[in-house]
Amino acid sequence: MTMAKIVNGGEPRLVVRMRKMTGAVKAAPIIEEVQQMSQREFIYDICARGSIFGRDILTGVMIALADSIIYNLKRGKSIKWERLGIFRPTFRDGRLNISFVPSKEALYELRQTEVKVVDESGGP
């Protein structure tokens, strides 16, 4: 068992298991217990962190943001969201898609998380 030692300010850490899947040449990292938050849970989390905005306003803002991002992507514009990253339209296999490139600030904060790596692949 190895540990990627990163100071995280006491926040919960992520556990990454290195598993070799059937037929795979090498082990692949899998983050344990990734759970999807609903929009409602996300808004409750924002409020719990001390937002000055109420749940109803945040819900409306999130809907407006999503609508605007989609509207502008459909028109060939990319959207830079400070501290988060850039949403950009892409075209692949005959379909319009969305790519996301995280900001340097978002990556920096994410990489401050303590990550415990467990190697179950049987490798070194």
Side-chain angles (χ1 to χ4, degrees):
M1 189 162 43
T2 60
M3 174 74 86
K5 202 86 157 124
I6 300 173
V7 177
N8 70 354
E11 294 180 20
R13 69 175 179 227
L14 294 174
V15 175
V16 176
R17 294 200 180 274
M18 298 298 291
R19 292 190 180 139
K20 190 170 181 181
M21 302 301 191
T22 306
V25 176
K26 62 181 183 176
I30 300 168
I31 299 176
E32 264 188 7
E33 299 180 23
V34 173
Q35 298 175 6
Q36 181 175 310
M37 290 178 87
S38 68
Q39 179 172 303
R40 183 178 179 185
E41 291 170 319
F42 187 54
I43 289 169
Y44 273 89
D45 182 68
I46 294 168
C47 291
R49 293 174 179 274
S51 172
I52 61 170
F53 303 105
R55 291 188 304 267
D56 291 341
I57 290 176
L58 286 170
T59 300
V61 168
M62 287 182 74
I63 291 168
L65 286 169
D67 288 347
S68 182
I69 289 170
I70 293 166
Y71 175 87
N72 284 289
L73 289 170
K74 287 169 61 175
R75 281 147 187 81
K77 296 181 181 180
S78 67
I79 295 95
K80 183 177 182 179
W81 189 323
E82 298 297 325
R83 292 191 30 83
L84 185 59
I86 299 171
F87 296 89
R88 123 179 343 131
T90 61
F91 190 78
R92 180 176 286 180
D93 299 326
R95 294 184 188 177
L96 191 57
N97 291 301
I98 301 171
S99 74
F100 174 72
V101 178
S103 70
K104 289 179 184 178
E105 298 88 357
L107 283 175
Y108 176 79
E109 287 190 33
L110 182 66
R111 291 175 178 163
Q112 296 308 302
T113 303
E114 184 178 329
V115 178
K116 179 179 180 180
V117 180
V118 180
D119 191 348
E120 297 178 345
S121 66

PDB file of all heavy atoms in Angstrom, residues 1-35:
ATOM      1  N   MET A   1       0.851  -1.169   0.000  1.00  0.00           N
ATOM      2  CA  MET A   1       0.000   0.000   0.000  1.00  0.00           C
ATOM      3  C   MET A   1       0.895   1.229   0.000  1.00  0.00           C
ATOM      4  O   MET A   1       1.802   1.351   0.794  1.00  0.00           O
ATOM      5  CB  MET A   1      -0.888  -0.045   1.245  1.00  0.00           C
ATOM      6  CG  MET A   1      -1.933   0.987   1.254  1.00  0.00           C
ATOM      7  SD  MET A   1      -3.323   0.741   2.383  1.00  0.00           S
ATOM      8  CE  MET A   1      -2.649   0.175   3.896  1.00  0.00           C
ATOM      9  N   THR A   2       0.635   2.168  -0.921  1.00  0.00           N
ATOM     10  CA  THR A   2       1.407   3.395  -0.985  1.00  0.00           C
ATOM     11  C   THR A   2       0.497   4.576  -0.710  1.00  0.00           C
ATOM     12  O   THR A   2      -0.712   4.497  -0.851  1.00  0.00           O
ATOM     13  CB  THR A   2       2.060   3.554  -2.373  1.00  0.00           C
ATOM     14  OG1 THR A   2       1.025   3.582  -3.344  1.00  0.00           O
ATOM     15  CG2 THR A   2       3.031   2.440  -2.657  1.00  0.00           C
ATOM     16  N   MET A   3       1.104   5.673  -0.304  1.00  0.00           N
ATOM     17  CA  MET A   3       0.316   6.860   0.029  1.00  0.00           C
ATOM     18  C   MET A   3       0.897   8.056  -0.707  1.00  0.00           C
ATOM     19  O   MET A   3       2.089   8.313  -0.614  1.00  0.00           O
ATOM     20  CB  MET A   3       0.377   7.102   1.538  1.00  0.00           C
ATOM     21  CG  MET A   3      -0.269   8.380   1.993  1.00  0.00           C
ATOM     22  SD  MET A   3      -2.038   8.354   1.968  1.00  0.00           S
ATOM     23  CE  MET A   3      -2.356   7.638   3.538  1.00  0.00           C
ATOM     24  N   ALA A   4       0.070   8.761  -1.470  1.00  0.00           N
ATOM     25  CA  ALA A   4       0.485  10.022  -2.053  1.00  0.00           C
ATOM     26  C   ALA A   4       0.250  11.063  -0.970  1.00  0.00           C
ATOM     27  O   ALA A   4      -0.879  11.374  -0.647  1.00  0.00           O
ATOM     28  CB  ALA A   4      -0.336  10.333  -3.298  1.00  0.00           C
ATOM     29  N   LYS A   5       1.301  11.569  -0.378  1.00  0.00           N
ATOM     30  CA  LYS A   5       1.197  12.449   0.783  1.00  0.00           C
ATOM     31  C   LYS A   5       1.017  13.882   0.316  1.00  0.00           C
ATOM     32  O   LYS A   5       1.954  14.511  -0.154  1.00  0.00           O
ATOM     33  CB  LYS A   5       2.470  12.317   1.609  1.00  0.00           C
ATOM     34  CG  LYS A   5       2.300  12.734   3.033  1.00  0.00           C
ATOM     35  CD  LYS A   5       1.790  11.577   3.842  1.00  0.00           C
ATOM     36  CE  LYS A   5       2.143  11.791   5.284  1.00  0.00           C
ATOM     37  NZ  LYS A   5       1.050  11.757   6.174  1.00  0.00           N
ATOM     38  N   ILE A   6      -0.175  14.397   0.434  1.00  0.00           N
ATOM     39  CA  ILE A   6      -0.460  15.778   0.072  1.00  0.00           C
ATOM     40  C   ILE A   6      -1.233  16.389   1.230  1.00  0.00           C
ATOM     41  O   ILE A   6      -2.236  15.838   1.674  1.00  0.00           O
ATOM     42  CB  ILE A   6      -1.296  15.863  -1.222  1.00  0.00           C
ATOM     43  CG1 ILE A   6      -0.533  15.206  -2.378  1.00  0.00           C
ATOM     44  CG2 ILE A   6      -1.621  17.297  -1.553  1.00  0.00           C
ATOM     45  CD1 ILE A   6      -1.332  15.083  -3.648  1.00  0.00           C
ATOM     46  N   VAL A   7      -0.797  17.538   1.700  1.00  0.00           N
ATOM     47  CA  VAL A   7      -1.492  18.203   2.808  1.00  0.00           C
ATOM     48  C   VAL A   7      -2.835  18.694   2.295  1.00  0.00           C
ATOM     49  O   VAL A   7      -2.927  19.283   1.234  1.00  0.00           O
ATOM     50  CB  VAL A   7      -0.659  19.394   3.332  1.00  0.00           C
ATOM     51  CG1 VAL A   7      -1.398  20.127   4.418  1.00  0.00           C
ATOM     52  CG2 VAL A   7       0.690  18.904   3.827  1.00  0.00           C
ATOM     53  N   ASN A   8      -3.890  18.437   3.088  1.00  0.00           N
ATOM     54  CA  ASN A   8      -5.220  18.792   2.588  1.00  0.00           C
ATOM     55  C   ASN A   8      -6.048  19.614   3.558  1.00  0.00           C
ATOM     56  O   ASN A   8      -7.233  19.790   3.344  1.00  0.00           O
ATOM     57  CB  ASN A   8      -5.988  17.524   2.202  1.00  0.00           C
ATOM     58  CG  ASN A   8      -6.367  16.709   3.421  1.00  0.00           C
ATOM     59  OD1 ASN A   8      -5.961  17.023   4.539  1.00  0.00           O
ATOM     60  ND2 ASN A   8      -7.130  15.679   3.231  1.00  0.00           N
ATOM     61  N   GLY A   9      -5.481  20.102   4.632  1.00  0.00           N
ATOM     62  CA  GLY A   9      -6.241  20.946   5.548  1.00  0.00           C
ATOM     63  C   GLY A   9      -7.334  20.222   6.292  1.00  0.00           C
ATOM     64  O   GLY A   9      -8.310  20.816   6.689  1.00  0.00           O
ATOM     65  N   GLY A  10      -7.210  18.914   6.481  1.00  0.00           N
ATOM     66  CA  GLY A  10      -8.176  18.159   7.270  1.00  0.00           C
ATOM     67  C   GLY A  10      -9.415  17.716   6.522  1.00  0.00           C
ATOM     68  O   GLY A  10     -10.332  17.193   7.114  1.00  0.00           O
ATOM     69  N   GLU A  11      -9.470  17.928   5.217  1.00  0.00           N
ATOM     70  CA  GLU A  11     -10.627  17.488   4.449  1.00  0.00           C
ATOM     71  C   GLU A  11     -10.572  15.975   4.246  1.00  0.00           C
ATOM     72  O   GLU A  11      -9.510  15.376   4.349  1.00  0.00           O
ATOM     73  CB  GLU A  11     -10.645  18.189   3.090  1.00  0.00           C
ATOM     74  CG  GLU A  11     -10.872  19.679   3.205  1.00  0.00           C
ATOM     75  CD  GLU A  11     -10.898  20.356   1.855  1.00  0.00           C
ATOM     76  OE1 GLU A  11     -11.122  19.670   0.842  1.00  0.00           O
ATOM     77  OE2 GLU A  11     -10.691  21.562   1.822  1.00  0.00           O
ATOM     78  N   PRO A  12     -11.700  15.360   3.933  1.00  0.00           N
ATOM     79  CA  PRO A  12     -11.694  13.914   3.673  1.00  0.00           C
ATOM     80  C   PRO A  12     -10.765  13.585   2.520  1.00  0.00           C
ATOM     81  O   PRO A  12     -10.593  14.375   1.617  1.00  0.00           O
ATOM     82  CB  PRO A  12     -13.140  13.621   3.287  1.00  0.00           C
ATOM     83  CG  PRO A  12     -13.931  14.767   3.765  1.00  0.00           C
ATOM     84  CD  PRO A  12     -13.021  15.946   3.796  1.00  0.00           C
ATOM     85  N   ARG A  13     -10.175  12.422   2.566  1.00  0.00           N
ATOM     86  CA  ARG A  13      -9.268  12.039   1.489  1.00  0.00           C
ATOM     87  C   ARG A  13      -9.974  11.101   0.520  1.00  0.00           C
ATOM     88  O   ARG A  13     -10.976  10.483   0.851  1.00  0.00           O
ATOM     89  CB  ARG A  13      -8.010  11.407   2.043  1.00  0.00           C
ATOM     90  CG  ARG A  13      -8.255  10.054   2.652  1.00  0.00           C
ATOM     91  CD  ARG A  13      -6.940   9.431   3.060  1.00  0.00           C
ATOM     92  NE  ARG A  13      -7.224   8.152   3.666  1.00  0.00           N
ATOM     93  CZ  ARG A  13      -6.696   7.738   4.794  1.00  0.00           C
ATOM     94  NH1 ARG A  13      -5.846   8.485   5.436  1.00  0.00           N
ATOM     95  NH2 ARG A  13      -6.999   6.560   5.269  1.00  0.00           N
ATOM     96  N   LEU A  14      -9.396  10.991  -0.648  1.00  0.00           N
ATOM     97  CA  LEU A  14      -9.885  10.070  -1.658  1.00  0.00           C
ATOM     98  C   LEU A  14      -9.056   8.804  -1.607  1.00  0.00           C
ATOM     99  O   LEU A  14      -7.863   8.845  -1.348  1.00  0.00           O
ATOM    100  CB  LEU A  14      -9.755  10.675  -3.053  1.00  0.00           C
ATOM    101  CG  LEU A  14     -10.624  11.885  -3.354  1.00  0.00           C
ATOM    102  CD1 LEU A  14     -10.262  12.447  -4.720  1.00  0.00           C
ATOM    103  CD2 LEU A  14     -12.084  11.510  -3.325  1.00  0.00           C
ATOM    104  N   VAL A  15      -9.695   7.676  -1.864  1.00  0.00           N
ATOM    105  CA  VAL A  15      -8.981   6.406  -1.946  1.00  0.00           C
ATOM    106  C   VAL A  15      -9.021   5.961  -3.400  1.00  0.00           C
ATOM    107  O   VAL A  15     -10.084   5.868  -4.008  1.00  0.00           O
ATOM    108  CB  VAL A  15      -9.609   5.330  -1.038  1.00  0.00           C
ATOM    109  CG1 VAL A  15      -8.915   3.992  -1.229  1.00  0.00           C
ATOM    110  CG2 VAL A  15      -9.562   5.771   0.419  1.00  0.00           C
ATOM    111  N   VAL A  16      -7.830   5.708  -3.949  1.00  0.00           N
ATOM    112  CA  VAL A  16      -7.697   5.248  -5.328  1.00  0.00           C
ATOM    113  C   VAL A  16      -7.145   3.833  -5.302  1.00  0.00           C
ATOM    114  O   VAL A  16      -6.102   3.584  -4.707  1.00  0.00           O
ATOM    115  CB  VAL A  16      -6.754   6.169  -6.133  1.00  0.00           C
ATOM    116  CG1 VAL A  16      -6.546   5.620  -7.536  1.00  0.00           C
ATOM    117  CG2 VAL A  16      -7.288   7.586  -6.176  1.00  0.00           C
ATOM    118  N   ARG A  17      -7.849   2.911  -5.902  1.00  0.00           N
ATOM    119  CA  ARG A  17      -7.393   1.525  -5.980  1.00  0.00           C
ATOM    120  C   ARG A  17      -6.851   1.275  -7.383  1.00  0.00           C
ATOM    121  O   ARG A  17      -7.495   1.596  -8.377  1.00  0.00           O
ATOM    122  CB  ARG A  17      -8.523   0.555  -5.681  1.00  0.00           C
ATOM    123  CG  ARG A  17      -8.983   0.657  -4.252  1.00  0.00           C
ATOM    124  CD  ARG A  17      -9.727  -0.583  -3.806  1.00  0.00           C
ATOM    125  NE  ARG A  17     -10.152  -0.419  -2.426  1.00  0.00           N
ATOM    126  CZ  ARG A  17      -9.424  -0.704  -1.362  1.00  0.00           C
ATOM    127  NH1 ARG A  17      -8.224  -1.184  -1.514  1.00  0.00           N
ATOM    128  NH2 ARG A  17      -9.891  -0.511  -0.143  1.00  0.00           N
ATOM    129  N   MET A  18      -5.664   0.680  -7.412  1.00  0.00           N
ATOM    130  CA  MET A  18      -5.063   0.293  -8.684  1.00  0.00           C
ATOM    131  C   MET A  18      -5.476  -1.156  -8.931  1.00  0.00           C
ATOM    132  O   MET A  18      -5.073  -2.056  -8.192  1.00  0.00           O
ATOM    133  CB  MET A  18      -3.544   0.416  -8.626  1.00  0.00           C
ATOM    134  CG  MET A  18      -3.056   1.832  -8.374  1.00  0.00           C
ATOM    135  SD  MET A  18      -3.530   3.001  -9.658  1.00  0.00           S
ATOM    136  CE  MET A  18      -2.540   2.421 -11.018  1.00  0.00           C
ATOM    137  N   ARG A  19      -6.318  -1.368  -9.937  1.00  0.00           N
ATOM    138  CA  ARG A  19      -6.823  -2.709 -10.231  1.00  0.00           C
ATOM    139  C   ARG A  19      -6.506  -3.069 -11.667  1.00  0.00           C
ATOM    140  O   ARG A  19      -6.681  -2.270 -12.572  1.00  0.00           O
ATOM    141  CB  ARG A  19      -8.333  -2.768 -10.027  1.00  0.00           C
ATOM    142  CG  ARG A  19      -8.731  -2.617  -8.586  1.00  0.00           C
ATOM    143  CD  ARG A  19     -10.194  -2.924  -8.405  1.00  0.00           C
ATOM    144  NE  ARG A  19     -10.546  -2.777  -7.003  1.00  0.00           N
ATOM    145  CZ  ARG A  19     -11.662  -2.226  -6.570  1.00  0.00           C
ATOM    146  NH1 ARG A  19     -12.547  -1.779  -7.409  1.00  0.00           N
ATOM    147  NH2 ARG A  19     -11.902  -2.134  -5.288  1.00  0.00           N
ATOM    148  N   LYS A  20      -6.083  -4.303 -11.834  1.00  0.00           N
ATOM    149  CA  LYS A  20      -5.845  -4.811 -13.180  1.00  0.00           C
ATOM    150  C   LYS A  20      -7.106  -5.534 -13.628  1.00  0.00           C
ATOM    151  O   LYS A  20      -7.491  -6.532 -13.045  1.00  0.00           O
ATOM    152  CB  LYS A  20      -4.645  -5.756 -13.185  1.00  0.00           C
ATOM    153  CG  LYS A  20      -4.195  -6.119 -14.568  1.00  0.00           C
ATOM    154  CD  LYS A  20      -2.877  -6.846 -14.537  1.00  0.00           C
ATOM    155  CE  LYS A  20      -2.444  -7.184 -15.944  1.00  0.00           C
ATOM    156  NZ  LYS A  20      -1.184  -7.920 -15.935  1.00  0.00           N
ATOM    157  N   MET A  21      -7.743  -4.993 -14.622  1.00  0.00           N
ATOM    158  CA  MET A  21      -8.985  -5.570 -15.139  1.00  0.00           C
ATOM    159  C   MET A  21      -8.676  -6.760 -16.046  1.00  0.00           C
ATOM    160  O   MET A  21      -7.589  -6.863 -16.597  1.00  0.00           O
ATOM    161  CB  MET A  21      -9.768  -4.513 -15.919  1.00  0.00           C
ATOM    162  CG  MET A  21     -10.108  -3.296 -15.107  1.00  0.00           C
ATOM    163  SD  MET A  21     -11.088  -3.759 -13.671  1.00  0.00           S
ATOM    164  CE  MET A  21     -11.603  -2.192 -13.092  1.00  0.00           C
ATOM    165  N   THR A  22      -9.642  -7.628 -16.219  1.00  0.00           N
ATOM    166  CA  THR A  22      -9.483  -8.799 -17.075  1.00  0.00           C
ATOM    167  C   THR A  22      -9.072  -8.357 -18.477  1.00  0.00           C
ATOM    168  O   THR A  22      -9.712  -7.504 -19.076  1.00  0.00           O
ATOM    169  CB  THR A  22     -10.806  -9.583 -17.152  1.00  0.00           C
ATOM    170  OG1 THR A  22     -11.237  -9.888 -15.828  1.00  0.00           O
ATOM    171  CG2 THR A  22     -10.639 -10.864 -17.949  1.00  0.00           C
ATOM    172  N   GLY A  23      -7.980  -8.930 -18.943  1.00  0.00           N
ATOM    173  CA  GLY A  23      -7.495  -8.618 -20.276  1.00  0.00           C
ATOM    174  C   GLY A  23      -6.671  -7.341 -20.373  1.00  0.00           C
ATOM    175  O   GLY A  23      -6.140  -7.033 -21.423  1.00  0.00           O
ATOM    176  N   ALA A  24      -6.584  -6.581 -19.290  1.00  0.00           N
ATOM    177  CA  ALA A  24      -5.832  -5.327 -19.316  1.00  0.00           C
ATOM    178  C   ALA A  24      -4.337  -5.591 -19.222  1.00  0.00           C
ATOM    179  O   ALA A  24      -3.899  -6.548 -18.589  1.00  0.00           O
ATOM    180  CB  ALA A  24      -6.263  -4.435 -18.162  1.00  0.00           C
ATOM    181  N   VAL A  25      -3.568  -4.741 -19.856  1.00  0.00           N
ATOM    182  CA  VAL A  25      -2.120  -4.868 -19.832  1.00  0.00           C
ATOM    183  C   VAL A  25      -1.559  -4.363 -18.508  1.00  0.00           C
ATOM    184  O   VAL A  25      -0.645  -4.934 -17.952  1.00  0.00           O
ATOM    185  CB  VAL A  25      -1.490  -4.087 -21.015  1.00  0.00           C
ATOM    186  CG1 VAL A  25       0.023  -4.121 -20.946  1.00  0.00           C
ATOM    187  CG2 VAL A  25      -1.987  -4.635 -22.337  1.00  0.00           C
ATOM    188  N   LYS A  26      -2.130  -3.268 -18.003  1.00  0.00           N
ATOM    189  CA  LYS A  26      -1.647  -2.724 -16.737  1.00  0.00           C
ATOM    190  C   LYS A  26      -2.821  -2.282 -15.870  1.00  0.00           C
ATOM    191  O   LYS A  26      -3.954  -2.172 -16.335  1.00  0.00           O
ATOM    192  CB  LYS A  26      -0.676  -1.579 -16.967  1.00  0.00           C
ATOM    193  CG  LYS A  26      -1.260  -0.385 -17.696  1.00  0.00           C
ATOM    194  CD  LYS A  26      -0.203   0.682 -17.898  1.00  0.00           C
ATOM    195  CE  LYS A  26      -0.819   1.902 -18.555  1.00  0.00           C
ATOM    196  NZ  LYS A  26       0.130   2.984 -18.695  1.00  0.00           N
ATOM    197  N   ALA A  27      -2.520  -2.020 -14.619  1.00  0.00           N
ATOM    198  CA  ALA A  27      -3.543  -1.615 -13.661  1.00  0.00           C
ATOM    199  C   ALA A  27      -4.072  -0.227 -13.993  1.00  0.00           C
ATOM    200  O   ALA A  27      -3.348   0.620 -14.502  1.00  0.00           O
ATOM    201  CB  ALA A  27      -2.967  -1.635 -12.248  1.00  0.00           C
ATOM    202  N   ALA A  28      -5.334  -0.019 -13.687  1.00  0.00           N
ATOM    203  CA  ALA A  28      -5.968   1.277 -13.907  1.00  0.00           C
ATOM    204  C   ALA A  28      -6.431   1.843 -12.569  1.00  0.00           C
ATOM    205  O   ALA A  28      -6.916   1.093 -11.719  1.00  0.00           O
ATOM    206  CB  ALA A  28      -7.160   1.123 -14.846  1.00  0.00           C
ATOM    207  N   PRO A  29      -6.296   3.161 -12.381  1.00  0.00           N
ATOM    208  CA  PRO A  29      -6.760   3.767 -11.127  1.00  0.00           C
ATOM    209  C   PRO A  29      -8.277   3.915 -11.110  1.00  0.00           C
ATOM    210  O   PRO A  29      -8.877   4.350 -12.084  1.00  0.00           O
ATOM    211  CB  PRO A  29      -6.080   5.133 -11.125  1.00  0.00           C
ATOM    212  CG  PRO A  29      -5.844   5.441 -12.564  1.00  0.00           C
ATOM    213  CD  PRO A  29      -5.661   4.127 -13.256  1.00  0.00           C
ATOM    214  N   ILE A  30      -8.885   3.538 -10.003  1.00  0.00           N
ATOM    215  CA  ILE A  30     -10.333   3.668  -9.826  1.00  0.00           C
ATOM    216  C   ILE A  30     -10.569   4.374  -8.493  1.00  0.00           C
ATOM    217  O   ILE A  30     -10.150   3.870  -7.454  1.00  0.00           O
ATOM    218  CB  ILE A  30     -11.021   2.288  -9.829  1.00  0.00           C
ATOM    219  CG1 ILE A  30     -10.769   1.573 -11.153  1.00  0.00           C
ATOM    220  CG2 ILE A  30     -12.517   2.434  -9.553  1.00  0.00           C
ATOM    221  CD1 ILE A  30     -11.149   0.118 -11.160  1.00  0.00           C
ATOM    222  N   ILE A  31     -11.214   5.531  -8.525  1.00  0.00           N
ATOM    223  CA  ILE A  31     -11.513   6.248  -7.291  1.00  0.00           C
ATOM    224  C   ILE A  31     -12.669   5.543  -6.609  1.00  0.00           C
ATOM    225  O   ILE A  31     -13.716   5.307  -7.209  1.00  0.00           O
ATOM    226  CB  ILE A  31     -11.859   7.727  -7.543  1.00  0.00           C
ATOM    227  CG1 ILE A  31     -10.682   8.449  -8.196  1.00  0.00           C
ATOM    228  CG2 ILE A  31     -12.253   8.418  -6.240  1.00  0.00           C
ATOM    229  CD1 ILE A  31     -10.972   9.881  -8.576  1.00  0.00           C
ATOM    230  N   GLU A  32     -12.480   5.198  -5.341  1.00  0.00           N
ATOM    231  CA  GLU A  32     -13.513   4.499  -4.569  1.00  0.00           C
ATOM    232  C   GLU A  32     -14.639   5.441  -4.172  1.00  0.00           C
ATOM    233  O   GLU A  32     -14.410   6.591  -3.847  1.00  0.00           O
ATOM    234  CB  GLU A  32     -12.891   3.957  -3.272  1.00  0.00           C
ATOM    235  CG  GLU A  32     -12.474   2.550  -3.362  1.00  0.00           C
ATOM    236  CD  GLU A  32     -12.054   2.000  -2.009  1.00  0.00           C
ATOM    237  OE1 GLU A  32     -12.200   2.660  -0.971  1.00  0.00           O
ATOM    238  OE2 GLU A  32     -11.551   0.876  -2.016  1.00  0.00           O
ATOM    239  N   GLU A  33     -15.819   4.902  -4.146  1.00  0.00           N
ATOM    240  CA  GLU A  33     -16.996   5.564  -3.595  1.00  0.00           C
ATOM    241  C   GLU A  33     -17.285   6.931  -4.197  1.00  0.00           C
ATOM    242  O   GLU A  33     -17.638   7.868  -3.489  1.00  0.00           O
ATOM    243  CB  GLU A  33     -16.878   5.673  -2.077  1.00  0.00           C
ATOM    244  CG  GLU A  33     -16.775   4.330  -1.393  1.00  0.00           C
ATOM    245  CD  GLU A  33     -16.665   4.435   0.117  1.00  0.00           C
ATOM    246  OE1 GLU A  33     -17.095   5.462   0.681  1.00  0.00           O
ATOM    247  OE2 GLU A  33     -16.154   3.495   0.721  1.00  0.00           O
ATOM    248  N   VAL A  34     -17.146   7.054  -5.509  1.00  0.00           N
ATOM    249  CA  VAL A  34     -17.541   8.293  -6.172  1.00  0.00           C
ATOM    250  C   VAL A  34     -19.063   8.316  -6.194  1.00  0.00           C
ATOM    251  O   VAL A  34     -19.689   7.375  -6.668  1.00  0.00           O
ATOM    252  CB  VAL A  34     -16.981   8.386  -7.606  1.00  0.00           C
ATOM    253  CG1 VAL A  34     -17.553   9.595  -8.328  1.00  0.00           C
ATOM    254  CG2 VAL A  34     -15.468   8.435  -7.582  1.00  0.00           C
ATOM    255  N   GLN A  35     -19.622   9.352  -5.634  1.00  0.00           N
ATOM    256  CA  GLN A  35     -21.078   9.460  -5.570  1.00  0.00           C
ATOM    257  C   GLN A  35     -21.520  10.715  -6.295  1.00  0.00           C
ATOM    258  O   GLN A  35     -20.946  11.775  -6.108  1.00  0.00           O
ATOM    259  CB  GLN A  35     -21.542   9.517  -4.121  1.00  0.00           C
ATOM    260  CG  GLN A  35     -21.189   8.275  -3.329  1.00  0.00           C
ATOM    261  CD  GLN A  35     -21.546   8.422  -1.864  1.00  0.00           C
ATOM    262  OE1 GLN A  35     -22.146   9.402  -1.448  1.00  0.00           O
ATOM    263  NE2 GLN A  35     -21.150   7.445  -1.071  1.00  0.00           N
TER     264      GLN A  35
END
